[in-house]
Amino acid sequence: MAKLETRRSKDGKSGSYRVSWLFGGSRGGKTQTCTFTGLDKGALSLANTAKELAEARRHRITSDEVYASVLGERKKVSSTPLVRDWFEEWIGSRVRLSPRERRNYRSKFERRIAPLIGHLPVDQVTFVEIGKIINDLRVPPVSSGHKPLANTSVTRYYSVVFSLFKAAVARGHITVNPCLESGFVRNETDHDDEGTEHRFYLTEDQYQVLLSAFKPEDRIVIELLVGTGGRYSEVTALAVEDILAPTATEGPRIRFRRAWKESREKKGSWYLGPPKSRQRRTVGISMNLYEQLVDYVQGLPPEAFVVRARRGGPMRYQNWHTHIWKPAVLNARRCGLHPPPNQETRMEGSSGRCGDYGGIGAYSGKPCNLSVVPGYNRCGRHFGPRADAVSTCGCPGVLPRNLNEHDLRHSHAGFLFANPTVTVNAISRRLGHGSIRTTVDIYGGLLPKAEQAAIDAITAATRSKPGRPTAVKPLSLPKTTSREVVLAAARSVADKDGRVARKDLTAKIGDRLTKTTLAYTLTALVKSEALLREQRNRYRLPTAA
């Protein structure tokens, strides 16, 4: 509620009444104050009126508006709506927002934006206020209870403010978007592709390790995620009719035209909507994956889901992640030769509770109250490795770290970037990114490999010198030998890289040379092996008939 204070001078002969409140009534709201000079009844009456007005408006009123109502004047007259009122008008006019996006926009505005600028008229928001919002998101006050946000998360809040004032420009409330003068640099990483330090790119061997950890009936989901680069919400929304058979001009394809979306009205309720960024797309798949899909959906109607739960319904993420994904990944991280250590140890004369020796309940997180097994320091439930324990041996057949379903999408991109013939534009289209810049922002660390491949290609193309190739420099052989005989023999026994083995050349011409001459000849040939190999590759040295 609003607070009325009496402020007196040191001599007590003069003073004023001050009314203060937090805009919106929340702790994060900006403090509003109105001061009425004097200690007479008139000043007190004005202060009481201001206090009542602020409370009647539920503290959603600025000090300028209170002055205007109480004194009949306003310090700054503005014909534009307040930012809070304009947000309600703007969010209600957006026709392409999904219910979940609309709820997220409103949540961001109410939690972190409205307390700072919601009380201001639209035309009084400058780059200064925008900068304060950005800095508050990065380093919030300790009293606010908010956590500092990374640049990716700050970008999402900034996008709401930017779109809000962009619409205000179009509406004619302002002439310039104040966000343009803030100097903030966006991070355009998609919300489901963030976390650069947490991404994990599977190698081909690690992918096979992960795939073998799943049951055969569940592997089709892994094959789809890695083989198409689709999001889990897109892959699980595929229908049988979205599997496109190969034609005379194109191979088999998968059509991503919808994805699962969370409902705005009821949390935990899902519906089918367009993919993220509305990037409906058709991507090619391997013939092997196509044949697996055909066998998997045999006998199902066209509208049936490709990925189905045990009872035939849609596969919900929570059920998949909890009951299928996590146990399989845990199994892939355990080595058969080096299993995780057991929790129990031998302890003669042990007694009491399992929690007395460090046993912790898996669900409660509290010390276990069950009695220990005689001779051990754990109860029967805590025998064997911990439920989440993994091997740390580093064997090649074990996954080195934990990963989630979205890492399969990153691995798909990693496999594509490893091939220098695949363009960034093609990768961006397969992944369904809204712009190619998003792809570069996410996977820019993989581009040096493609850059090196480009350097190798241009080096190979420009390696030969201009003009006609010169003749091969003959080998320096002793005068007592027949140069033509030795060179012809060396060519006949050299491999594709131009290497000449001693035993092969000895067997070829040993009976035609003396031992001394042969030793000297072989020494000269061995020293010039590298030269012969280079000359053979450069000038395409012909093989004697």
Side-chain angles (χ1 to χ4, degrees):
M1 58 184 297
K3 181 170 61 174
L4 175 59
E5 299 176 282
T6 303
R7 303 168 66 86
R8 298 179 180 275
S9 61
K10 292 183 178 180
D11 56 10
K13 296 181 179 180
S14 61
S16 61
Y17 296 100
R18 187 177 72 174
V19 181
S20 60
W21 68 96
L22 295 177
F23 186 87
S26 61
R27 293 176 58 185
K30 187 175 181 179
T31 302
Q32 306 291 318
T33 59
C34 290
T35 302
F36 302 93
T37 305
L39 297 175
D40 56 353
K41 293 182 178 179
L44 179 60
S45 177
L46 291 174
N48 285 325
T49 302
K51 181 175 180 295
E52 294 172 359
L53 178 60
E55 293 174 348
R57 293 282 296 273
R58 297 182 179 180
H59 306 101
R60 295 183 181 274
I61 187 172
T62 65
S63 57
D64 288 343
E65 292 173 322
V66 171
Y67 279 128
S69 299
V70 175
L71 303 178
E73 61 183 15
R74 189 168 186 167
K75 297 181 179 179
K76 295 182 181 180
V77 179
S78 175
S79 59
T80 60
L82 299 180
V83 173
R84 181 182 296 276
D85 297 333
W86 171 240
F87 175 81
E88 295 297 333
E89 182 179 348
W90 168 74
I91 198 71
S93 65
R94 297 292 299 273
V95 296
R96 298 190 63 185
L97 288 180
S98 67
R100 184 179 184 180
E101 290 173 329
R102 196 180 303 275
R103 183 174 67 249
N104 288 340
Y105 274 35
R106 188 178 297 278
S107 174
K108 288 180 174 59
F109 181 81
E110 294 292 342
R111 293 178 65 247
R112 306 295 294 272
I113 301 172
L116 297 176
I117 63 172
H119 61 284
L120 297 175
V122 172
D123 62 351
Q124 293 185 13
V125 177
T126 66
F127 70 92
V128 175
E129 284 73 24
I130 303 300
K132 290 180 179 179
I133 294 176
I134 295 172
N135 292 330
D136 181 79
L137 294 170
R138 289 173 172 169
V139 186
V142 178
S143 59
S144 66
H146 297 303
K147 295 181 179 180
L149 300 180
N151 199 52
T152 304
S153 299
V154 175
T155 296
R156 300 178 205 155
Y157 284 86
Y158 176 82
S159 298
V160 176
V161 180
F162 186 92
S163 300
L164 179 66
F165 286 99
K166 180 180 178 181
V169 173
R171 187 69 171 82
H173 293 315
I174 53 179
T175 57
V176 179
N177 189 336
C179 296
L180 297 175
E181 302 174 351
S182 65
F184 178 72
V185 179
R186 291 173 180 249
N187 183 332
E188 293 193 354
T189 302
D190 283 359
H191 74 278
D192 59 351
D193 286 325
E194 64 175 298
T196 54
E197 64 275 11
H198 300 299
R199 282 200 296 270
F200 182 48
Y201 299 98
L202 290 170
T203 64
E204 295 180 8
D205 293 338
Q206 290 171 345
Y207 169 63
Q208 294 300 329
V209 170
L210 176 66
L211 188 63
S212 62
F214 285 84
K215 297 179 180 178
E217 61 270 21
D218 298 323
R219 292 176 185 173
I220 192 64
V221 181
I222 308 302
E223 297 270 12
L224 277 169
L225 290 171
V226 176
T228 65
R231 304 173 178 90
Y232 181 86
S233 61
E234 297 171 338
V235 168
T236 52
L238 289 173
V240 175
E241 60 187 351
D242 295 323
I243 304 174
L244 306 181
T247 64
T249 57
E250 293 183 303
R253 292 157 296 154
I254 286 289
R255 179 175 57 195
F256 291 117
R257 57 187 176 89
R258 59 185 185 177
W260 287 106
K261 306 282 185 177
E262 188 176 6
S263 174
R264 174 189 177 188
E265 288 74 17
K266 184 178 180 182
K267 189 174 182 179
S269 178
W270 299 81
Y271 69 95
L272 289 171
K276 179 172 174 57
S277 302
R278 289 176 170 76
Q279 296 297 316
R280 295 179 176 89
R281 61 198 186 279
T282 301
V283 300
I285 58 175
S286 66
M287 185 59 70
N288 180 47
L289 178 56
Y290 172 74
E291 293 173 351
Q292 293 184 57
L293 289 171
V294 171
D295 294 338
Y296 189 76
V297 301
Q298 192 70 33
L300 294 177
E303 66 277 5
F305 290 111
V306 174
V307 179
R308 308 175 301 280
R310 295 289 185 262
R311 297 183 180 179
M315 178 67 77
R316 301 302 185 194
Y317 175 78
Q318 194 61 36
N319 293 335
W320 158 268
H321 185 76
T322 303
H323 302 296
I324 300 177
W325 174 267
K326 291 178 67 174
V329 172
L330 183 64
N331 185 38
R333 297 192 63 195
R334 289 183 171 180
C335 180
L337 299 177
H338 309 94
N342 294 331
Q343 300 180 78
E344 77 282 357
T345 56
R346 294 282 303 179
M347 182 176 291
E348 298 295 335
S350 62
S351 62
R353 304 294 180 182
C354 179
D356 298 338
Y357 303 94
I360 302 296
Y363 299 101
S364 64
K366 299 179 180 179
C368 179
N369 288 323
L370 298 179
S371 299
V372 299
V373 176
Y376 291 89
N377 63 348
R378 289 290 187 273
C379 65
R381 289 186 180 181
H382 288 113
F383 262 51
R386 287 178 55 89
D388 57 349
V390 297
S391 300
T392 58
C393 56
C395 292
V398 181
L399 288 184
R401 51 160 289 183
N402 195 23
L403 71 161
N404 57 40
E405 293 85 347
H406 207 71
D407 286 319
L408 302 186
R409 175 175 166 87
H410 297 318
S411 299
H412 174 85
F415 293 146
L416 296 180
F417 273 103
N419 188 339
T421 63
V422 183
T423 65
V424 179
N425 185 54
I427 298 175
S428 180
R429 188 188 63 81
R430 283 185 66 89
L431 296 177
H433 287 156
S435 74
I436 194 172
R437 181 176 177 181
T438 302
T439 309
V440 175
D441 285 344
I442 300 170
Y443 303 110
L446 302 179
L447 289 178
K449 297 181 181 178
E451 180 68 16
Q452 185 58 46
I455 295 174
D456 295 340
I458 196 65
T459 302
T462 59
R463 181 172 52 190
S464 299
K465 296 181 179 179
R468 299 178 60 182
T470 59
V472 180
K473 183 179 180 180
L475 298 177
S476 177
L477 299 175
K479 295 181 180 180
T480 55
T481 65
S482 173
R483 178 180 303 175
E484 291 76 11
V485 172
V486 176
L487 187 56
R491 284 171 168 166
S492 64
V493 299
D495 60 16
K496 63 180 181 179
D497 293 326
R499 296 188 177 90
V500 179
R502 286 172 180 254
K503 63 178 182 179
D504 296 334
L505 188 60
T506 303
K508 190 75 174 178
I509 61 175
D511 57 343
R512 303 181 61 178
L513 300 172
T514 64
K515 292 184 178 180
T516 304
T517 304
L518 177 61
Y520 187 82
T521 303
L522 291 178
T523 301
L525 285 172
V526 169
K527 289 182 178 179
S528 61
E529 279 181 359
L531 174 62
L532 180 61
R533 180 171 63 255
E534 180 182 355
Q535 292 174 338
R536 181 182 180 87
N537 290 335
R538 172 175 292 186
Y539 304 118
R540 302 182 182 276
L541 184 65
T543 302

